[in-house]
């Protein structure tokens, strides 16, 4: 009987590892069958799946279309936004600078970015580069994401960094895990502070081009490749639609946290470099083996969810530098997901098997990316055969955009009393970090607008005394809010608070962190 890699340690505790079945890597035909089921069941327009092992591309498959309006087919050079899988490029860039002796991981952030400031002076002074990368700042989940999401936004990187000082802590510094995007923007700005090169230029010239990644972009996509970009899609109010997310002119504010666009062909080169511990080509070294080991070393303890225990028999979960780590059926797994409106990604490694897998989608379905990733990854592990496409479908319905139900308000309309005038709520309200929101009376109804985030404009319907549900006109946001107004001693409404209308709303819509004061 062969003992499992990690579980053998449990013999000391008197727990014996049971025999396992033989692994049977997924065949090309099997992958085609799984992918077609995923596209149909989860209403995904297009997807790519890639597998590398032992220095070779085992499979590189393309399915569906880039755009449901044109029907143009996806191929290995189609560009997908990889969202938060961009974070690993930022940590790799910093690892290169560590190799070159230009920075140290424990360098204080203020050494390079004097305007960096958090809520607490002591934390600001002691905050180092690793703290930027490991989601242990003490800030809340997705704190400040409304400055970068939904696109477009008028905030610059400098404004994002400046406004960090207004975000209040939700946990303890270096004690609590809470996923963060803004601090990766800060991390990206270490690069120009040290090298004089913009983050986008450094990543493209020092990482992508040496690896031969000609169909991957940290900044603007080359004009001749614009037609290769897949369109984002979502199931909006029951209908599969293209999601309109126009890009602003110039570099995207959040590129270092989630702005890279890449093709299947090119990202497989990226995966191979990691499996080779920073080496590529003819014994060339992009990142030293020592620093690559640092990228994959645990830094912050993460919660171990019941689903990880049930599906993977996991015993630990942690965050490294731009990567997550956990054990999957006795093997170490290094992985990360990426989520943007209409674009989802998933990268996983099993280093002991010299295996890397990538899934890219142009639809916002976590169920679909999980179904594809697990169908591939689990086939390489000694586990019983399982229907992973069915596993991640919602229990109550099929053919969905995601595992969650559509966000719809259950609030009933409240009839205002005769003494209440809508005009008394109208005015301009200012938040320290998100800026001005206006409430205006139009056609005997209230409308809310954001000055800095154009997508935030919507109708306001009363649901309780001094409380309104805000329904954004752009229904792809799936992020309606509850606005509550507060009056002073004289009965004048001088402040406003927002809350997410539903618990299912994405954490990046951190309305609860806003504190609006009336300015006029």
């Amino acid at each position: 009987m062969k003992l499992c890699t990690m579980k053998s340690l449990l013999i000391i505790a008197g727990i014996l590892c049971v025999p396992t079945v033989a692994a049977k890597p997924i065949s090309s035909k099997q992958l085609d069958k799984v992918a077609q089921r995923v596209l149909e069941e989860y209403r995904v327009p297009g997807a790519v799946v890639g597998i590398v092992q032992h220095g070779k591309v085992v499979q590189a498959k393309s399915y569906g279309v880039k755009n449901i309006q044109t029907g143009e087919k996806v191929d290995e050079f189609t560009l997908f936004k990889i969202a938060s899988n961009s974070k690993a490029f930022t940590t790799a860039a910093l690892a290169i600078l560590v190799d070159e002796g230009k920075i140290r991981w424990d360098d204080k952030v203020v050494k390079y970015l004097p305007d960096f400031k958090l809520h607490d002076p002591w934390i600001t002074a002691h905050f180092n580069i690793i703290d930027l990368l490991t989601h242990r700042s003490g800030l809340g989940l997705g704190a400040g994401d409304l400055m970068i999401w939904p696109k477009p936004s008028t905030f610059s990187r400098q404004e994002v960094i400046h406004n960090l000082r207004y975000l209040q802590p939700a946990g303890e510094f270096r004690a609590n895990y809470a996923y963060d995007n803004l601090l990766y923007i800060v991390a990206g700005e270490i690069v120009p502070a040290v090298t004089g090169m913009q983050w986008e230029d450094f990543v493209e010239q020092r990482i992508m081009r040496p690896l031969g990644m000609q169909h991957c972009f940290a900044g603007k996509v080359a004009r001749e490749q614009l037609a290769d970009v897949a369109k984002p899609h979502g199931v909006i109010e029951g209908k599969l639609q293209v999601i309109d997310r126009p890009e602003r002119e110039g570099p995207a504010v959040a590129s270092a946290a989630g702005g890279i666009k890449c093709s299947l062909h090119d990202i497989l080169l990226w995966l191979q470099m990691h499996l080779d511990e920073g080496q590529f080509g003819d014994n060339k070294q992009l990142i030293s083996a020592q620093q690559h080991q640092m990228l994959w070393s645990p830094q912050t303890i993460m919660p171990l969810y019941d689903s990880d225990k049930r599906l993977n028999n996991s015993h630990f979960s942690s965050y490294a530098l731009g990567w997550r780590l956990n054990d999957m059926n006795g093997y170490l797994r290094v992985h990360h997901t990426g989520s943007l409106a209409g674009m989802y990604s998933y990268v996983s490694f099993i280093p002991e098997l010299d295996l890397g897998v990538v899934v890219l989608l142009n639809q916002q379905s976590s169920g679909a990316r999980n179904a594809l990733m697990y169908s591939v990854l689990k086939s390489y592990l000694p586990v019983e055969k399982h229907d992973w496409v069915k596993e991640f479908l919602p229990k109550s319905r099929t053919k969905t955009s995601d595992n969650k139900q559509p966000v719809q308000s259950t609030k009933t309309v409240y009839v205002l009393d005769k003494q209440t005038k809508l005009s008394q709520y109208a005015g301009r309200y200012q938040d320290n970090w998100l800026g001005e929101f206006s409430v205006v009376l139009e056609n005997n109804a209230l409308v809310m607008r954001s000055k800095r985030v154009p997508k935030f404009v919507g109708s306001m319907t009363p649901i309780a005394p001094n409380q309104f549900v805000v329904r954004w006109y752009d229904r792809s946001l799936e992020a309606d809010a509850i606005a509550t107004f507060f009056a002073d001693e004289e009965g004048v409404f001088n402040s406003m608070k927002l809350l997410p209308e539903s618990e299912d709303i994405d954490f990046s819509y951190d309305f609860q962190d806003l504190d609006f004061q009336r300015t006029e």
Side-chain angles (χ1 to χ4, degrees), residues 2 28 115 160 169 261 267 288 348 372 427 429 481-482 506:
K2 183 178 180 180
S28 178
D115 193 44
V160 168
K261 301 179 184 70
I267 206 163
S288 70
S348 290
L372 283 169
Y429 296 81
I482 301 295
D506 189 274

Side-chain angles (χ1 to χ4, degrees), residues 369-413:
R369 72 178 170 196
N370 286 341
L372 283 169
M373 177 58 71
Y374 273 66
S375 294
V376 173
L377 208 58
K378 292 284 190 174
S379 73
Y380 283 84
L381 302 179
V383 295
E384 297 287 348
K385 186 177 180 181
H386 188 74
D387 187 345
W388 295 107
V389 178
K390 182 179 179 181
E391 174 68 40
F392 294 104
L393 279 171
K395 307 308 178 187
S396 59
R397 63 196 174 102
T398 59
K399 297 183 179 179
T400 177
S401 67
D402 208 342
N403 288 6
K404 63 185 181 182
Q405 296 287 345
V407 176
Q408 295 181 351
S409 174
T410 58
K411 302 290 184 180
T412 57
V413 176

Side-chain angles (χ1 to χ4, degrees), residues 88-100 202-213 266 269-293 295:
F89 284 83
T90 297
T91 59
L94 295 174
I96 291 172
L97 296 180
V98 173
D99 274 332
E100 294 176 347
F202 188 92
V203 169
E204 290 184 1
Q205 294 178 28
R206 297 295 306 277
I207 298 177
M208 293 177 177
R209 302 307 174 249
L211 293 178
M213 302 170 71
D266 283 24
L269 299 170
W270 168 249
L271 266 62
Q272 188 60 61
M273 181 275 293
H274 281 287
L275 288 173
D276 291 338
E277 298 181 327
Q279 189 172 310
F280 71 102
D282 187 16
N283 294 321
K284 298 177 181 177
Q285 204 75 32
L286 186 77
I287 303 166
S288 70
Q290 178 184 0
Q291 294 310 322
H292 187 268
Q293 182 179 6
L295 296 180

Side-chain angles (χ1 to χ4, degrees), residues 113-243:
L113 302 172
D115 193 44
F116 175 78
K117 183 178 180 181
L118 296 175
H119 55 281
D120 183 280
W122 187 91
I123 294 176
T124 299
H126 290 80
F127 213 88
N128 62 35
I129 292 176
I130 285 184
D131 293 324
L132 292 174
L133 309 172
T134 49
H135 310 297
R136 62 188 192 187
S137 66
L139 295 174
L141 178 64
D145 276 0
L146 289 173
M147 284 186 282
I148 60 174
W149 185 255
K151 293 182 179 180
S153 164
T154 64
F155 288 93
S156 66
R157 290 175 185 172
Q158 290 68 36
E159 287 177 307
V160 168
I161 294 174
H162 179 84
N163 288 348
L164 286 170
R165 66 196 65 192
Y166 302 121
L167 300 177
Q168 296 301 309
E172 296 295 326
F173 177 45
R174 294 181 183 164
N176 303 105
Y177 172 84
Y179 195 80
D180 185 282
N181 287 303
L182 300 193
L183 294 177
Y184 265 82
I185 298 174
V186 180
E189 289 304 283
I190 298 288
V191 173
V194 172
T195 68
M197 296 176 64
Q198 291 300 308
W199 176 89
E200 290 84 356
D201 295 332
F202 188 92
V203 169
E204 290 184 1
Q205 294 178 28
R206 297 295 306 277
I207 298 177
M208 293 177 177
R209 302 307 174 249
L211 293 178
M213 302 170 71
Q214 300 298 325
H215 302 270
C216 197
F217 299 91
K220 281 190 173 183
V221 176
R223 185 181 300 273
E224 61 272 17
Q225 295 184 39
L226 286 174
D228 293 331
V229 180
K231 285 288 186 181
H233 298 75
V235 178
I236 304 167
E237 298 185 327
K239 182 181 179 181
L240 182 64
Q241 302 179 39
V242 173
I243 296 177

